Amino acid sequence: MPDTQLPTYTAKDFTTDQDVRWCPGCGDYAILTAVRKTLPKLTTRKEDYVFVSGIGCAARFPYYMETYGMHSIHGRAPAFATGIKLANPELDVWLVSGDGDLLSIGGNHTMHVMRRNVDINIILLNNQIYGLTKGQYSPTSEFGKKTKSTPVGSPDYPVNPLSWAIGGGCTFVARSIDIDVKHLEEVMLRAAAHRGTSFVEVYQDCNIYNHQVWFYASQKKTKPDSTILLKHETPMIFGAERNKGLQMNGTRLEVVQLGNGVTEDDLLVHDETDRGLAFLLSQLAHPEFPEPLGVIYASTEHDTYDRVVHEQVRQAIHTHGKGDLHALLHEGDTWVVEDE
Amino acid sequence: MTPDTSTAHGRIGTKSLGAVAIRFCGDSGDGMQLTGGQFTNASALFGNDIATFPDFPAEIRAPRGSTYGVSGFQVQFASTEIYTPGDAVNALVAMNPAGFKTNISDVEPGGIVIVNEDEFAKGNFRKCGYEDGYNPLEDDELNRRYQIFKVPMSRLTRESLADMGMGAKDIDRCRNMYALGIVYWLYDRRIETTVDFLNEYFGKQKNQPQIAEINVRALKAGYYFGETAELFPVRYHVAPAKLKAGKYRKISGNEATVLGFVTAAAKAGKKLFYASYPITPASEIIHGLARLKHYGVMTFQAEDEIGAVCAAIGAAFAGDFALCGTSGPGLALKAEAIGLAVMFELPLVVIDVQRAGPATGMPTKTEQADLLQAMFGRPSESPCVIVAPRSPSDCFDMAVEAFRLAVHCMCPVLFLSDGYLANGAEPWLLPDLDAIHPIEVNHPTETNNPEGPYLPYKRDPETLARPWVIPGTSGLEHRIGGLEKQDVTGNISYDPDNHEHMVRTRAAKVLKAAQIIPPLEVRGPDSGDVLLLGWGGTYGAITTAGDELRRRGHSVSTAHLRYINPFPSNLGDVLSRFNTIIIPELNLGQLRMLIRDRFLIDVIGINEVRGKMFQVDALVKKTLEIMTNRSASVCDRRLNSMP
Ligand code: SF4
């Protein structure tokens, strides 16, 4: 008989015997650690996790997790994850992949998994570059980015993953940074607890092809002034001196200095459930604005896709009874040919 | 007193016929599919063998009266076993000049043509491109060639429904039932099935009892018109066919496909997961399955073709019977993912209801030109099992076979149906469910390696299949992926010898499926001069042509492949017993290429790509031509080799 009590896991239980093959110093290591440390805090059995990925450096993730895993093809991970979750909604499905995989070749599937609100967790490791194919610009690379495929600068405007997710109907949208393992864990726990598609963008340093692109947001010296840590129902304060905040001015957000008559009470208070506000926050970009970290949007308004689909099946059985194959075959007009 | 030769009415005689092919044609808004379907039902219930061919335009609402908006439905009904909807049309019902224009050349000389005379007016002639001042009904040549019956159906329908208090539009929509009534009378059919249908469909389902009533009235009016107008010199009777005893229903290929896959899943005690993206002519499959949720069927309409196949593969990993359906263009989009399923070694079935291509081609027309795509259309060496149903009802049997093979081999299976099978219908002898073998599925829960980690690619030495362990199984956690893996452990491997071994193993595994594939059967003598070898939807045409050639005394047998990869193990032996192998295909010679390659024998093709099924007559003629040329060239060779 299976043991009904949940075993106590440690990060080691989620570590495979495979050598991790990322470049030394890659931001992916920290994220892997954070995930391995997060899972023991959840109530899911090890055998019920499935890690799914597409193609790219980040997509090697499942090989390093001692759970069920699927390393699929480029861009299609959300579709595989949807199939897995529909087939067995008891499974806890995690999707880990990169910006090229999820936002370029897989953009269509990413959008649709979000709008359907399939109950899975998506972790986007955003390094603004194609690592595995050796350094071409990605859909999140900045305009003018010089790479091997864009020697005179990229002519593409980048996609904003958070705005994309919010616009696409995702019900949980958050952001974190690779080297902040504690914050990563917090965000992952929230993502795991969310019923529906949760989407976490993680700023990930590719120290080979795009080193330091996130340093403004990740390094001790610059982080406080270039990011803002969001907390639900808490005023939006940031800055090394904790003396700056965000305010609404008409329909736009603006940065204000505290003091001179401006107090905390004048600042905008974060409301995770406000989709309009979430979109405004998602648009905040360095260097004009601090970039938001934490849970930007979380809504429980919509049912999950897998639950709705299974409920339809349950309802059908309730209404018609369990299908009788013989009756189905013999449905409609039939006739009998007698023996001679 | 002179003996009365008629069955019902003294004045008009009844003539018995063995088989009749009727075609109904008209505007796509004229309800021709429904009319033809009703005639088919009445004939099937009467006990005839039937075969149908619905032929509809790609445009949903083409301009009224245009030739490209013509919708047709052909049905052959017979007192003997038949395999095709018939070559030449014995009777044509044309509801407008466009239908007349596009279909008249298919009518046999002397054939019956019933037209709605009211529609044969100036404006409509122009719409379908007849020259100004020309009325085909007044064409002497045409009148000599065919028996044209002009019936003012629009006016008669209006007159017979004048007192019903309904609008002109509703009344005009009953013209098809008026026409059907005439044909029912002419061919001595019972109208009751259609009366019941109209009451059920309009009266109950659509809650429009008045619409039901006027349609029934029009149907009866048409029938009585036939009886009283004395327009037709004779009525026709086609006796019931002597089919195998048992219970029957009429079934189309797509309907049988739906039922077959539901049965396959039930025979394995599995949930059926069907993922697809709308595409002609496969969409009826998701329509059919979506209403069977209480049979343990889950349908997923994906965002695109690729999403559909990937979701299905995900479901297969999680333990469902995973199925997707598409047509040629969709199969191309799914290619990479199917290759991944080859690598994953998971069971997956992909239906390709082939249509005329390439690209969008002619979506509502049939073709068999995806065979090589199914065989080779993926990156690198990625063999799949291929099955091909041969008739509408055979889609049921082959669906069950498809999953049996997918599970047996732990690999993708392609199911090649086509537009002709999908929409065509025939009587189906309902199978005995208990006689269908259960599909054995095993999801191991114990490790196969007590000493170390579970070995996901440790194979069954008999079948070479790997175990199908599903997520949720404690202690057997493992990863699968698209990177080449070491056999047994499943770990990523770039070792050259291992890759060679894995490529060969995946190929060998598919070939080993021949162990559970039934031998190819030959119809006619099992050796002789000519073998007509076919596959898929051409079965009816080839079989009928073969029977006809034998009847005329030629040494011709036929055989039809339902399993194409691997081939049945006796195929080589069968081929060796005939002097000449002819392969008729609706492509430019795809099976022919496979057979030549595999058996190093000469094979002659009969190839057509007209978006239509072969005509039996044409097949007979071409076969005879080939036979004559062959014997001539043999003589030549003999003469040339004389000293
Ligand atoms: S190329 Fe960049 S993203 Fe890829 S493993 Fe190396 S450091 Fe990490």
Side-chain angles (χ1 to χ4, degrees):
Chain A
M1 240 194 73
D3 185 359
T4 46
Q5 216 183 339
L6 187 72
T8 326
Y9 299 115
T10 64
K12 208 165 159 273
D13 291 310
F14 292 101
T15 306
T16 56
D17 60 352
Q18 301 294 298
D19 296 332
V20 181
R21 300 191 188 187
W22 289 313
C23 308
C26 174
D28 289 352
Y29 283 96
I31 300 162
L32 178 62
T33 306
V35 172
R36 283 175 178 166
K37 284 167 89 175
T38 303
L39 300 195
K41 298 188 174 122
L42 304 175
T43 55
T44 304
R45 295 174 159 277
K46 196 168 96 161
E47 61 268 26
D48 289 337
Y49 285 110
V50 183
F51 277 77
V52 184
S53 66
I55 293 294
C57 294
R60 297 294 173 93
F61 211 94
Y63 289 118
Y64 310 135
M65 293 298 301
E66 185 52 53
T67 62
Y68 284 93
M70 181 188 274
H71 177 217
S72 72
I73 44 175
H74 209 4
R76 321 299 171 199
F80 289 100
T82 301
I84 294 168
K85 190 69 186 174
L86 283 177
N88 183 357
E90 303 297 318
L91 298 172
D92 193 349
V93 181
W94 291 64
L95 194 169
V96 184
S97 239
D99 40 309
D101 191 63
L102 286 174
L103 301 177
S104 192
I105 188 168
N108 193 33
H109 309 295
T110 303
M111 177 171 81
H112 289 285
V113 79
M114 286 174 172
R115 75 163 166 95
R116 290 191 183 108
N117 201 29
V118 182
D119 189 12
I120 62 170
N121 310 306
I122 303 176
I123 302 173
L124 166 73
L125 307 191
N126 184 5
N127 57 17
Q128 297 193 356
I129 200 82
Y130 284 100
L132 196 64
T133 49
K134 299 191 169 51
Q136 300 81 8
Y137 77 110
S138 91
T140 52
S141 299
E142 73 274 15
F143 181 84
K145 174 108 186 154
K146 286 195 174 151
T147 70
K148 280 181 208 156
S149 61
T150 50
V152 294
S154 146
D156 293 24
Y157 292 100
V159 63
N160 176 327
L162 298 185
S163 301
W164 166 303
I166 295 161
C170 193
T171 54
F172 180 96
V173 180
R175 181 189 273 154
S176 191
I177 301 182
D178 54 4
I179 61 168
D180 191 349
V181 174
K182 214 177 128 259
H183 184 252
L184 255 178
E185 269 188 64
E186 266 171 46
V187 170
M188 303 248 186
L189 282 172
R190 282 289 311 272
H194 177 73
R195 280 170 48 89
T197 309
S198 55
F199 177 68
V200 181
E201 179 193 17
V202 183
Y203 287 174
Q204 177 243 324
D205 187 54
C206 167
N207 68 325
I208 301 293
Y209 295 110
N210 215 11
H211 193 33
Q212 301 189 350
V213 279
W214 300 117
F215 267 26
Y216 68 90
S218 65
Q219 300 303 299
K220 254 208 188 100
K221 252 173 76 187
T222 47
K223 181 177 179 179
D225 286 305
S226 48
T227 62
I228 178 166
L229 201 60
L230 297 177
K231 279 214 161 58
H232 187 46
E233 296 179 334
T234 306
M236 298 187 192
I237 303 181
F238 71 103
E241 312 287 324
R242 308 283 298 160
N243 62 347
K244 288 185 272 190
L246 291 176
Q247 224 183 21
M248 280 304 275
N249 182 1
T251 58
R252 289 157 196 259
L253 287 171
E254 66 175 13
V255 174
V256 291
Q257 290 283 334
L258 289 173
N260 281 337
V262 181
T263 70
E264 260 191 53
D265 293 346
D266 299 316
L267 297 181
L268 200 57
V269 172
H270 184 40
D271 178 0
E272 285 175 0
T273 64
D274 185 337
R275 191 157 176 239
L277 175 64
F279 192 80
L280 289 177
L281 289 167
S282 73
Q283 292 279 309
L284 299 183
H286 183 71
E288 292 77 23
F289 287 97
E291 295 187 347
L293 299 173
V295 177
I296 288 145
Y297 181 60
S299 157
T300 50
E301 231 175 286
H302 289 172
D303 215 338
T304 70
Y305 185 73
D306 32 299
R307 217 200 62 81
V308 172
V309 171
H310 278 266
E311 180 56 25
Q312 287 185 349
V313 171
R314 214 189 54 78
Q315 263 305 327
I317 294 172
H318 181 76
T319 313
H320 308 291
K322 229 176 160 10
D324 169 359
L325 203 54
H326 184 267
L328 178 66
L329 262 46
H330 289 245
E331 199 179 65
D333 291 336
T334 57
W335 68 96
V336 173
V337 173
E338 307 285 354
D339 266 323
E340 290 288 303
Chain B
M1 226 171 81
T2 38
D4 190 351
T5 53
S6 76
T7 47
H9 304 279
R11 298 178 307 259
I12 299 169
T14 297
K15 196 171 157 190
S16 271
L17 293 174
V20 173
I22 296 189
R23 188 183 296 173
F24 298 89
C25 66
D27 215 64
S28 55
D30 280 339
M32 291 297 96
Q33 301 303 320
L34 185 141
T35 308
Q38 281 305 308
F39 190 89
T40 307
N41 282 355
S43 302
L45 290 176
F46 179 71
N48 294 130
D49 197 359
I50 50 143
T52 73
F53 172 55
D55 187 19
F56 25 78
E59 289 76 14
I60 303 296
R61 286 280 179 271
R64 266 199 87 82
S66 64
T67 51
Y68 50 93
V70 171
S71 173
F73 188 104
Q74 182 166 329
V75 49
Q76 178 167 216
F77 56 108
S79 59
T80 53
E81 261 189 86
I82 50 165
Y83 302 95
T84 75
D87 278 5
V89 173
N90 307 118
L92 179 74
V93 178
M95 299 304 285
N96 68 0
F100 182 92
K101 190 177 179 202
T102 44
N103 289 284
I104 191 70
S105 63
D106 293 339
V107 180
E108 63 171 358
I112 295 171
V113 179
I114 305 170
V115 300
N116 177 5
E117 191 183 11
D118 294 328
E119 287 289 307
F120 283 68
K122 210 167 161 203
N124 289 346
F125 292 144
R126 206 173 312 123
K127 278 184 209 159
C128 67
Y130 274 127
E131 266 171 49
D132 261 356
Y134 174 79
N135 179 351
L137 301 186
E138 287 160 7
D139 184 320
D140 288 343
E141 171 63 33
L142 290 177
N143 274 296
R144 264 197 300 277
R145 203 161 212 276
Y146 309 108
Q147 311 175 52
I148 300 180
F149 298 99
K150 294 170 238 177
V151 183
M153 293 185 207
S154 303
R155 179 169 61 82
L156 293 173
T157 306
R158 280 180 208 143
E159 279 171 10
S160 61
L161 302 178
D163 60 339
M164 305 283 284
M166 298 291 283
K169 225 173 160 184
D170 287 331
I171 286 176
D172 282 348
R173 284 220 185 99
C174 297
R175 286 185 292 213
N176 60 336
M177 286 300 116
Y178 194 93
L180 182 61
I182 298 174
V183 178
Y184 273 166
W185 177 82
L186 185 61
Y187 289 98
D188 194 13
R189 312 267 94 165
R190 292 160 52 86
I191 64 168
E192 279 73 12
T193 43
T194 300
V195 171
D196 291 348
F197 163 81
L198 292 168
N199 285 326
E200 173 66 30
Y201 181 70
F202 289 112
K204 293 212 180 100
Q205 283 180 39
K206 297 201 147 186
N207 200 18
Q208 295 173 320
Q210 284 168 310
I211 300 287
E213 211 186 323
I214 56 174
N215 273 286
V216 170
R217 171 89 76 99
L219 177 75
K220 288 183 175 166
Y223 191 90
Y224 298 141
F225 171 84
E227 195 172 84
T228 51
E230 295 194 22
L231 196 59
F232 303 99
V234 62
R235 285 178 97 182
Y236 301 95
H237 182 76
V238 177
K242 289 174 192 67
L243 298 178
K244 212 171 140 197
K247 194 169 174 187
Y248 284 81
R249 74 183 268 194
K250 181 192 77 165
I251 197 126
S252 74
N254 274 348
E255 286 166 351
T257 302
V258 165
L259 296 179
F261 282 108
V262 173
T263 303
K267 280 284 163 185
K270 279 285 178 189
K271 182 166 109 233
L272 182 68
F273 181 87
Y274 183 72
S276 80
Y277 184 76
I279 187 167
T280 302
S283 298
E284 287 83 24
I285 299 172
I286 192 169
H287 303 169
L289 287 170
R291 63 177 196 94
L292 300 179
K293 294 184 171 44
H294 53 303
Y295 286 83
V297 176
M298 186 170 281
T299 53
F300 172 56
Q301 183 177 316
E303 57 272 24
D304 58 28
E305 292 280 356
I306 299 173
V309 67
C310 294
I313 295 169
F317 182 51
D320 276 357
F321 261 25
L323 174 69
C324 35
T326 186
S327 187
L331 185 65
L333 287 166
K334 294 180 193 307
E336 185 193 13
I338 297 173
L340 181 71
V342 169
M343 201 73 162
F344 279 171
E345 304 194 35
L346 282 173
L348 168 77
V349 178
V350 180
I351 303 165
D352 174 6
V353 186
Q354 300 165 93
R355 66 189 210 190
T360 310
M362 304 194 288
T364 56
K365 310 293 173 197
T366 200
E367 204 162 271
Q368 294 184 294
D370 290 346
L371 177 58
L372 294 182
Q373 184 187 197
M375 193 75 189
F376 302 117
R378 288 168 295 283
S380 185
E381 299 285 351
S382 35
C384 294
V385 170
I386 302 173
V387 299
R390 65 184 186 185
S391 72
S393 66
D394 195 41
C395 291
F396 178 89
D397 295 338
M398 294 318 282
V400 177
E401 283 299 283
F403 264 117
R404 190 186 306 287
L405 287 160
V407 172
H408 179 87
C409 301
M410 288 291 283
C411 82
V413 173
L414 300 184
F415 177 98
L416 294 183
S417 176
D418 63 48
Y420 174 79
L421 293 180
N423 296 313
E426 65 178 356
W428 178 35
L429 176 59
L430 291 167
D432 173 6
L433 280 171
D434 295 333
I436 300 172
H437 287 295
I439 299 177
E440 267 176 56
V441 175
N442 179 21
H443 297 304
T445 52
E446 300 293 329
T447 184
N448 54 8
N449 182 28
E451 262 74 79
Y454 163 66
L455 302 170
Y457 282 78
K458 193 171 169 196
R459 300 169 186 283
D460 176 331
E462 265 306 295
T463 63
L464 297 181
R466 74 178 192 90
W468 188 9
V469 166
I470 56 176
T473 313
S474 174
L476 305 189
E477 291 83 1
H478 64 278
R479 276 66 51 199
I480 55 174
L483 289 167
E484 185 59 286
K485 45 191 70 59
Q486 196 176 42
D487 205 6
V488 185
T489 65
N491 291 334
I492 298 172
S493 167
Y494 284 83
D495 179 68
D497 291 340
N498 176 71
H499 179 56
E500 168 117 23
H501 166 74
M502 288 298 269
V503 168
R504 290 186 186 280
T505 302
R506 288 186 287 259
K509 188 176 70 162
V510 167
L511 289 180
K512 269 178 173 272
Q515 292 165 343
I516 62 161
I517 286 176
L520 179 67
E521 283 169 20
V522 176
R523 185 175 169 106
D526 65 2
S527 65
D529 193 13
V530 169
L531 178 72
L532 289 175
L533 178 69
W535 68 278
T538 50
Y539 172 72
I542 294 175
T543 303
T544 312
D547 289 0
E548 172 62 20
L549 285 160
R550 269 196 309 285
R551 201 185 56 80
R552 297 191 198 171
H554 298 284
S555 170
V556 174
S557 299
T558 56
H560 214 76
L561 290 165
R562 299 152 84 209
Y563 302 83
I564 300 180
N565 200 35
F567 287 130
S569 20
N570 68 333
L571 176 58
D573 177 44
V574 168
L575 295 176
S576 72
R577 287 189 260 118
F578 292 87
N579 300 329
T580 303
I581 310 294
I582 300 176
I583 299 185
E585 289 177 275
L586 300 179
N587 59 40
L588 297 185
Q590 301 194 1
L591 177 66
R592 187 172 78 221
M593 185 186 285
L594 296 178
I595 296 278
R596 279 179 171 170
D597 169 70
R598 172 72 182 278
F599 298 103
L600 290 177
I601 54 168
D602 191 18
V603 172
I604 301 169
I606 297 177
N607 301 90
E608 263 186 27
V609 278
R610 308 176 64 245
K612 289 181 165 188
M613 184 43 65
F614 283 117
Q615 297 264 310
V616 173
D617 260 4
L619 275 183
V620 167
K621 236 203 235 132
K622 282 186 183 158
T623 307
L624 288 173
E625 267 170 36
I626 293 168
M627 292 170 75
T628 323
N629 290 343
R630 280 248 132 171
S631 48
S633 73
V634 169
C635 282
D636 283 351
R637 256 183 276 144
R638 282 205 195 117
L639 286 173
N640 289 340
S641 63
M642 291 223 287

